[in-house]
């Protein structure tokens, strides 16, 4: 009976963290130095906690459940493109960070894992945005590419291609967005450890 409870606990904790992540998706904020359709949220924080506490796979599962909840309750306005992008980017960060941390369990290991996870997520966001997300904006939001470029050029007039915009704006933004989740994770991980680990 005790072993059954222990085996079920990671799933229960992951489900709880997924629900919190779903709620956090609604708390998003515009960033003055970014186009208005790009917003900051911290919904990757609970999956990151799951990845550190339970293992990298649980971080990915939390990302998946978060986006499935969003689709079931809120629906989609991008034919699932936005949710897939959110899942892929969050999973890259959480899986990488969780995998490295579980091989090097220390504060420095957690920091290294987090920085690598944020970096890979930021790098992956560029081709994902270029080939999937922004073409979807054109179709579903009726935003032609010149209008999208114009939003970036209103901030930095010298940019003249989508690749340049994504490299100058989106890549560092995505990295910093990950760092915000990491900072919050470092602040609350230890106080939450008894709940996450069941100690």
């Amino acid at each position: 009976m005790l072993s059954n409870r222990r085996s079920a606990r990671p799933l229960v904790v992951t489900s709880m963290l997924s629900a919190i992540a779903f709620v956090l998706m609604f708390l998003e904020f515009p960033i003055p130095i970014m186009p208005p359709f790009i917003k900051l949220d911290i919904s990757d924080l609970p999956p990151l906690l799951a990845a550190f506490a339970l293992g990298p796979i649980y971080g990915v599962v939390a990302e998946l459940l978060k986006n499935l909840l969003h689709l079931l309750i809120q629906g989609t306005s991008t034919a699932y493109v936005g949710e897939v992008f959110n899942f892929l980017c969050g999973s890259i960060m959480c899986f990488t960070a969780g995998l490295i941390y579980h091989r090097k369990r220390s504060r420095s290991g957690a920091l290294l894992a987090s920085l690598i996870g944020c970096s890979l997520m930021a790098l992956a966001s560029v081709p994902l945005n270029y080939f999937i997300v922004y073409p979807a904006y054109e179709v579903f939001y009726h935003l032609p590419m010149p209008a999208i470029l114009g939003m970036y050029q209103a901030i930095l007039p010298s940019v003249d291609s989508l690749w340049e915009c994504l490299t100058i704006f989106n890549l560092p933004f995505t990295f910093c967005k990950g760092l915000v989740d990491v900072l919050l994770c470092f602040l609350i991980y230890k106080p939450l450890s008894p709940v996450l680990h069941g100690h």
Side-chain angles (χ1 to χ4, degrees):
M1 188 71 172
L2 184 59
S3 62
N4 288 339
R5 287 181 180 176
R6 285 178 177 172
S7 62
R9 182 173 182 80
L11 295 176
V12 172
V13 172
T14 302
S15 299
M16 176 188 70
L17 291 171
S18 302
I20 296 171
F22 162 70
V23 173
L24 290 176
M25 291 181 82
F26 295 95
L27 302 176
E28 53 183 17
F29 312 95
I31 304 298
I33 59 171
M34 296 294 289
F37 57 84
I38 297 176
K39 295 181 174 65
L40 174 70
D41 70 75
I42 56 170
S43 65
D44 291 325
L45 171 60
L48 187 60
L49 288 167
F52 279 139
L54 305 171
I57 295 298
Y58 290 99
V60 175
V61 171
E63 288 284 355
L64 178 62
L65 292 177
K66 173 189 78 171
N67 281 285
L68 287 176
L69 279 171
H70 188 268
L71 286 171
L72 289 171
I73 296 174
Q74 190 70 12
T76 181
S77 59
T78 61
Y80 310 106
V81 171
E83 289 77 19
V84 170
F85 175 79
N86 186 285
F87 167 71
L88 290 175
C89 280
S91 294
I92 288 169
M93 180 180 71
C94 293
F95 183 84
T96 303
L99 184 66
I100 295 172
Y101 174 68
H102 279 266
R103 293 182 177 182
K104 188 179 180 183
R105 289 176 173 271
S106 65
R107 194 168 183 83
S108 62
L111 180 59
L112 176 65
S114 300
L115 291 175
I116 294 175
C118 290
S119 299
L120 290 180
M121 177 177 69
L123 289 171
S125 73
V126 174
L128 287 173
N129 272 310
Y130 187 86
F131 292 109
I132 300 174
V133 176
Y134 281 69
Y137 282 166
E138 287 190 276
V139 174
F140 298 109
Y141 292 144
H142 306 293
L143 270 176
M145 194 54 63
I148 294 174
L149 287 174
M151 295 181 191
Y152 286 101
Q153 288 168 340
I155 304 167
L156 184 64
S158 62
V159 295
D160 59 4
S161 72
L162 182 57
W163 275 116
E164 194 175 5
C165 294
L166 294 174
T167 303
I168 293 173
F169 290 94
N170 292 57
L171 190 152
F173 168 79
T174 305
F175 180 76
C176 292
K177 178 179 180 292
L179 287 183
V180 171
D181 293 314
V182 168
L183 176 61
L184 292 172
C185 182
F186 271 65
L187 289 173
I188 67 175
Y189 185 83
K190 191 169 183 178
L192 288 180
S193 186
V195 176
L196 297 173
H197 294 283
H199 296 160

